[in-house]
Amino acid sequence: MTGEKRIRILLADDEQLITGALAALLGLTEDMTVVAQASTGTEALSMARVLRPDVAVLDLQMPGLDGLSVAEALRDELPSCRTMIITSHGRPGYLKRALETGVRGFLPKTVSAHDLADIIRTVHAGRRYISSDLAAEAISAGDSPLTPREGDLLALAADGSSIAEIAERVGLSAGTVRNHMSSVVSKLGAENRHAAARMAREHGWI
């Protein structure tokens, strides 16, 4: 591409086969260049700080920092970098969190390389692209029935922590944590807090 600056892209996905294939396909375009490929969220953030890409295409779930955490950090540290989330999970609660984080693109991994290139151009130009399928899922699923405090506590329970361990980590009494968990289980109609955590995670609420 002559006379114009290429769009500099960072790709981050723990499946290196995917990033390699995308990098090769995007490299065939006349207006883009892939400046970095990362396999973890931590690596992606470090590379972005050094290379200052125009657009970061981030997998939602990666080792270390997830895509939303990387996008949030880039929003604060490198606001000139547009961020996009790609996901194979399609959990609707993540869409709302992505928009709150300032993500400009939210799309499934099933997107073709040709469409991805067009979406990168859209995002780079300052516009937003949201997959219609993921948006429809988000609307049908509705908002989380949990309060922010309940969501935070349930996220801690998701790794198998006991009531006492959770209480110690957040500085609350075991009785208070138990009451919150009871409310969560009731709201979600789950058998116990572990089942509630799985259900909330499936919906992207935690």
Side-chain angles (χ1 to χ4, degrees):
M1 187 175 183
T2 57
E4 294 183 39
K5 182 183 176 183
R6 285 174 175 259
I7 302 172
R8 304 173 71 255
I9 302 164
L10 179 149
L11 298 176
D13 194 305
D14 59 343
E15 297 181 55
Q16 295 184 353
L17 186 62
I18 291 178
T19 53
L22 285 178
L25 291 168
L26 292 175
L28 297 175
T29 64
E30 295 184 350
D31 58 341
M32 298 180 189
T33 182
V34 176
V35 296
Q37 299 176 50
S39 57
T40 70
T42 305
E43 187 179 29
L45 186 55
S46 296
M47 288 180 169
R49 286 168 173 157
V50 174
L51 298 170
R52 306 180 73 84
D54 299 312
V55 178
V57 182
L58 310 167
D59 186 15
L60 177 62
Q61 295 191 332
M62 295 183 286
L65 298 171
D66 64 19
L68 291 176
S69 297
V70 175
E72 186 173 16
L74 290 178
R75 178 196 64 192
D76 297 337
E77 298 182 34
L78 195 62
S80 62
C81 177
R82 312 285 189 184
T83 54
M84 298 169 50
I85 294 290
I86 55 173
T87 176
S88 58
H89 303 285
R91 296 167 182 168
Y94 289 123
L95 173 56
K96 182 178 180 182
R97 290 172 55 195
L99 294 176
E100 290 172 346
T101 303
V103 168
R104 306 298 298 180
F106 195 86
L107 53 150
K109 283 190 177 180
T110 53
V111 67
S112 70
H114 178 270
D115 288 343
L116 177 61
D118 283 341
I119 295 166
I120 288 174
R121 294 184 186 102
T122 295
V123 168
H124 180 250
R127 299 188 296 274
R128 179 177 282 132
Y129 177 90
I130 306 298
S131 160
S132 57
D133 289 341
L134 294 180
E137 287 182 28
I139 292 170
S140 64
D143 293 331
S144 171
L146 307 178
T147 66
R149 169 63 88 178
E150 289 170 346
D152 290 342
L153 294 176
L154 189 59
L156 294 176
D159 64 4
S161 297
S162 68
I163 293 292
E165 289 169 335
I166 295 170
E168 183 176 354
R169 289 168 71 177
V170 298
L172 295 174
S173 70
T176 298
V177 172
R178 193 172 289 109
N179 288 339
H180 279 300
M181 290 301 170
S182 177
S183 174
V184 166
V185 168
S186 177
K187 285 181 178 181
L188 299 185
E191 296 178 9
N192 51 49
R193 68 178 183 274
H194 303 299
R198 287 195 299 272
M199 187 182 303
R201 196 161 261 176
E202 287 173 1
H203 285 80
W205 293 334
I206 62 172

